[in-house]
Amino acid sequence: MTHWRADEWAEAVRAGIRARGLSFDEAARRIGVPTSTLRSWVEHRHAPKVTVFDHWAQLAEVTGLGEAELLRVAGVLPESLATPVHVAQAAKSLREGIERAGDFLRQATALVYSSPGTQVANAIAASPIDWEMRIRSATRGDEIRVTYHHYVGIVPPRDFPHSDAEARRIIEREILGGLWQPLGLYWRVAEPHDWDDPPRLVIQVPEQEASRPPSPSPPFVTAPPVVVLSPIWGYGELLASLVADGLGFGNVDFRYFGLPDAMAGRLRITARELAEPAPRLVHAVPPIMLLHGLEVPDLTGRLPVVVRYGPRMRARAARIYREPLLEAGFADPAEGARAIETAVDAVVARLPGEYFEVVLDDTDVFDGDRPSLDRLNDSVAWLAEQVVEHVLLGAGLPPVPLGGPLKRLVLPSGRVRRPPALASAVTRRVAGR
């Protein structure tokens, strides 16, 4: 994939423009480039200048092909990555895919910003509306420091004449429209439990938990795709992302997937992606969607990982996710939290074979009356390392994480540090037993 397939790409662009009934002049105007520039892209039999990526989204819109399809026909994006999973994180995917794309796409690094949080803040600051911003990063852990995501809190000006709902619409669609889906942004609905006095409008920007394609670097682990089932606030998404990095797999977190607002659309896309996983991926099943009727497909050929926790974690989850659980129809949030666990159990009951059960014990999480987010982070990281170790050994590889934060557990000798004494555990189980 170090060669740009100029003929195929140029023909696809020309065909797309024709299919939309546009002249080259009109297409160039919509893209925002001179007609001569557009013609040079499709008439030269070599890779166009790297500035084409400045207009990639507009080119995709004008041709009707979509950004991933434009990369695929050019030979830049391999078939195994040409799915909506990677479009949802287009900015990160370009950066992660640069090594596979060869010398031409490597020049595109200048077009991808280093910090998604900075991109969001800059776009909001450039708005004519005088928003006040408060920015925080959710970084936790004593042994294994992990930055989960960034919060961008937004306070409208005092004389702002619109409701919070209208403010969200303006920010999401008019100010951040070109960034919202590629960066996998979403409005934080649940309480930001590591922010004492958050503003009413909070955008969550992914970091560790972001969706991303598989690592392009060997060794490639021969193991089935992984599906993580978890209760709310069970940190299943974090565990999934750490396992993905440790195996060199891609990560799919549907919270950062650019899904539509309507729940029916979210369920449809999520069910489709779960039903047709690409190789070397880890999917985290969205717990709240289980309450809205998400159909988890037959997981034959997948490696399920099931997360469970204790009563104190469940009670904390019900408090943090009170509003989403009320919206799902549960007057008692604790009942909603238990209903998600029941839905997970129903999926487990029809699993076709082996799976990993990860039990997160309350004693490893709570410090007195409150959970310690640092201890919780470290416990999940050590449990993820155990899952990675099992999978690597099963694939005939040394049990040493291949990437991500878990690499920090590897000693100079090449061995993984001994884990602390935990009440939590990872157990390999067989369905039906």
Side-chain angles (χ1 to χ4, degrees):
M1 286 188 304
T2 58
H3 298 288
W4 181 272
R5 294 202 305 242
D7 288 342
E8 292 92 330
W9 185 83
E11 181 53 36
V13 171
R14 282 195 298 267
I17 291 173
R18 284 197 303 269
R20 303 296 288 271
L22 301 175
S23 67
F24 262 55
D25 290 340
E26 177 61 18
R29 186 188 67 76
R30 295 190 184 188
I31 295 170
V33 297
T35 303
S36 59
T37 297
L38 176 58
R39 288 191 180 279
S40 74
W41 291 347
V42 299
E43 292 179 357
H44 292 174
R45 293 297 180 249
H46 53 74
K49 291 182 179 179
V50 74
T51 51
V52 69
F53 284 99
D54 287 328
H55 307 279
W56 201 256
Q58 295 89 340
L59 188 63
E61 181 177 352
V62 162
T63 59
L65 293 174
E67 295 180 44
E69 179 64 10
L70 281 175
L71 288 173
R72 188 192 66 76
V73 297
V76 169
L77 192 67
E79 295 286 349
S80 62
L81 302 188
T83 73
V85 169
H86 310 111
V87 182
Q89 274 294 95
K92 266 190 176 292
S93 297
L94 278 173
R95 184 167 62 227
E96 297 287 345
I98 280 169
E99 288 302 320
R100 285 188 76 111
D103 292 338
F104 170 73
L105 195 56
R106 270 196 282 273
Q107 298 175 55
T109 51
L111 305 176
V112 183
Y113 300 98
S114 60
S115 169
T118 299
Q119 294 183 66
V120 171
N122 286 345
I124 294 172
S127 163
I129 301 173
D130 188 21
W131 309 99
E132 175 189 334
M133 278 186 290
R134 304 171 188 172
I135 303 174
R136 293 174 64 93
S137 293
T139 301
R140 304 167 198 153
D142 292 322
E143 289 189 274
I144 308 140
R145 296 289 284 174
V146 177
T147 297
Y148 294 43
H149 47 256
H150 309 284
Y151 296 125
V152 179
I154 304 166
V155 180
R158 290 180 179 274
D159 58 351
F160 190 67
H162 303 293
S163 65
D164 284 354
E166 182 64 11
R168 287 190 180 93
R169 189 197 69 78
I170 292 170
I171 293 168
E172 176 181 340
R173 300 183 184 177
E174 298 180 19
I175 297 174
L176 297 175
L179 296 175
W180 195 266
Q181 182 169 340
L183 294 183
L185 309 178
Y186 84 104
W187 292 103
R188 177 80 183 195
V189 177
E191 169 199 340
H193 36 269
D194 41 7
W195 197 343
D196 290 337
D197 186 25
R200 294 192 305 273
L201 305 177
V202 177
I203 297 172
Q204 195 154 315
V205 186
E207 189 68 37
Q208 171 61 35
E209 298 172 321
S211 294
R212 53 188 174 273
S215 168
S217 304
F220 300 127
V221 179
T222 304
V226 178
V227 177
V228 177
L229 297 150
S230 170
I232 54 169
W233 210 63
Y235 280 58
E237 296 90 356
L238 174 64
L239 184 136
S241 73
L242 293 171
V243 168
D245 284 346
L247 298 175
F249 282 19
N251 183 57
V252 184
D253 188 330
F254 289 101
R255 296 173 302 169
Y256 305 113
F257 200 67
L259 294 174
D261 293 334
M263 182 56 72
R266 300 172 73 84
L267 294 176
R268 183 177 62 256
I269 293 173
T270 301
R272 183 188 70 202
E273 291 299 320
L274 287 172
E276 301 178 0
R280 301 178 62 224
L281 283 180
V282 178
H283 282 87
V285 175
I288 287 291
M289 288 192 194
L290 293 172
L291 294 185
H292 290 274
L294 174 65
E295 290 291 335
V296 178
D298 179 10
L299 297 180
T300 300
R302 257 70 65 86
L303 176 60
V305 177
V306 180
V307 180
R308 305 188 188 280
Y309 52 31
R312 299 180 73 186
M313 280 280 284
R314 183 186 303 113
R316 179 72 174 177
R319 191 178 80 76
I320 291 173
Y321 284 87
R322 177 181 178 82
E323 291 303 319
L325 291 169
L326 291 174
E327 291 175 7
F330 290 88
D332 179 359
E335 182 182 342
R338 286 192 294 270
I340 292 176
E341 294 178 77
T342 299
V344 170
D345 288 340
V347 177
V348 172
R350 53 186 176 85
L351 289 178
E354 289 189 332
Y355 67 95
F356 288 112
E357 183 179 69
V358 176
V359 177
L360 191 58
D361 196 282
D362 284 338
T363 59
D364 293 328
V365 175
F366 281 80
D367 186 3
D369 294 333
R370 293 181 61 83
S372 164
L373 297 181
D374 291 328
R375 288 178 58 187
L376 175 54
N377 173 89
D378 289 345
S379 297
V380 172
W382 277 112
L383 294 169
E385 194 281 327
Q386 291 179 48
V387 173
V388 168
E389 180 177 312
H390 280 295
V391 175
L392 290 174
L393 285 171
L397 294 171
V400 179
L402 301 179
L406 298 183
K407 284 283 285 183
R408 299 170 202 159
L409 301 176
V410 181
L411 299 169
S413 64
R415 295 180 177 273
V416 177
R417 282 198 287 128
R418 294 186 63 181
L422 294 175
S424 304
V426 174
T427 306
R428 192 161 195 158
R429 298 195 181 280
V430 177
R433 294 184 186 174

